Amino acid sequence: MMRCYIEGIGLLGPGLDGWVAGRAVLAGDADYLAAPTNLRASDMLPAAERRRAGVPIKLALAVGQEAFLQSQRDTSKASTVFTSSGGDNDNVHAINGILATAPREVSPTRFHNSVHNAAAGYWCIAAGSHEPSTSLCAYDASFAAGLLESATQVAVDGAVVALIAYDHPYPEPLHAVRPIAAAFGMALLLTPQQTERSLAALEVDFVLGKTTETTMKDAGLEALRRGIPAARGLPLLAALAGGKPAQISIAYLDDNHLDIRVSPC
């Protein structure tokens, strides 16, 4: 079992425009109303970098910035774990199109945005961070893999870690074979010790074998959880929004899972 504390939360998805606005919906105190994800370029980036930022960069920086603003911590003083099932899917589609036609010339901007740790690179520029950063991909288990890695760094290294998860749809024809329902991102600022700004304690266990995953009560939110790998963390956000002790389960790779106990501070 690994224990850590949550100091900040970031959220951006369809009808979930920030943690403050989305908290009442996730707690069941307000109706969920589907709406396009409110994507915007982050003011953390210089103007030139803002113009080059694709959807995943906008998602990652928006939720990361919200989590840090809530925690009041310096963005340059925390390790980061980025996790996504696909990375920049628009860019993958565009590069495939370029490579399938003549001349096969990929621009430097498209090339450097195609690597899976592109979001981490933009974050480090925006945050002025030289702290360790990890970028993960684990298909539909990407959120669980990110949480497991983050909790491990907090428990083993005593590090303050920002977990940032994001996914967005592929254009057609890739969408037909790998459908992702919508653009979605969430972030958790995790610390090794409880502070006056701690929102909740988490106890994270890796457990062998299958389990029945924790689902969302609202049908629209459950569709997001099932349709977007990064949104597999929604039950954890719902538990945090509820402000009561809770235990949830999230599927991991190879039919294993994570058990997570949430205790409000």
Side-chain angles (χ1 to χ4, degrees):
M1 182 272 289
M2 294 176 289
R3 187 178 181 87
C4 55
Y5 296 87
I6 294 180
E7 267 192 8
I9 302 169
L11 173 65
L12 184 60
L16 299 169
D17 195 5
W19 172 244
V20 173
R23 182 174 182 174
V25 174
L26 294 171
D29 296 330
D31 292 337
Y32 173 63
L33 301 174
T37 303
N38 183 20
L39 291 169
R40 59 268 190 185
S42 173
D43 58 8
M44 293 176 68
L45 284 171
E49 301 300 333
R50 280 201 298 272
R51 288 194 295 273
R52 300 187 183 104
V55 172
I57 311 302
K58 293 174 181 175
L59 285 170
L61 267 63
V63 297
Q65 184 177 23
E66 184 182 21
F68 273 91
L69 286 172
Q70 190 174 6
S71 73
Q72 302 176 33
R73 285 187 181 266
D74 185 340
T75 58
S76 69
K77 304 297 183 185
S79 301
T80 48
V81 173
F82 291 81
T83 187
S84 172
S85 72
D88 191 335
N89 301 333
D90 292 331
N91 202 37
V92 168
H93 170 78
I95 290 175
N96 284 341
I98 292 168
L99 294 178
T101 57
R104 303 169 67 187
E105 296 177 354
V106 178
S107 75
T109 297
R110 287 213 177 278
F111 177 75
H112 83 241
N113 279 353
S114 70
V115 296
H116 195 66
N117 63 350
Y122 279 86
W123 172 265
C124 290
I125 293 170
S129 175
H130 298 278
E131 296 297 318
S133 184
T134 304
S135 294
L136 298 174
C137 174
Y139 200 58
D140 285 344
S142 291
F143 175 78
L147 179 59
L148 186 62
E149 172 65 20
S150 300
T152 300
Q153 291 188 19
V154 172
V156 174
D157 300 331
V160 175
V161 178
L163 166 61
I164 298 176
Y166 56 92
D167 275 305
H168 72 111
Y170 286 96
E172 294 289 0
L174 292 173
H175 179 75
V177 295
R178 176 55 172 161
I180 294 175
F184 178 93
M186 61 175 285
L188 300 174
L189 201 293
L190 305 173
T191 68
Q193 285 93 32
Q194 183 173 354
T195 72
E196 69 277 9
R197 295 185 297 277
S198 295
L199 304 172
L202 297 186
E203 293 177 345
V204 181
D205 274 333
F206 171 80
V207 183
L208 294 173
K210 280 187 175 180
T211 189
T212 300
E213 283 192 279
T214 305
T215 59
M216 301 298 291
K217 294 179 181 177
D218 180 274
L221 294 173
E222 175 62 9
L224 295 183
R225 188 193 72 85
R226 295 177 62 86
I228 310 170
R232 302 296 165 90
L234 275 176
L236 174 55
L237 294 188
L240 294 167
K244 299 177 182 177
Q247 179 162 336
I248 65 173
S249 296
I250 300 177
Y252 188 58
L253 296 170
D254 299 329
D255 292 334
N256 300 308
H257 67 279
L258 303 184
D259 279 343
I260 305 160
R261 285 171 291 281
V262 181
S263 303
C265 291

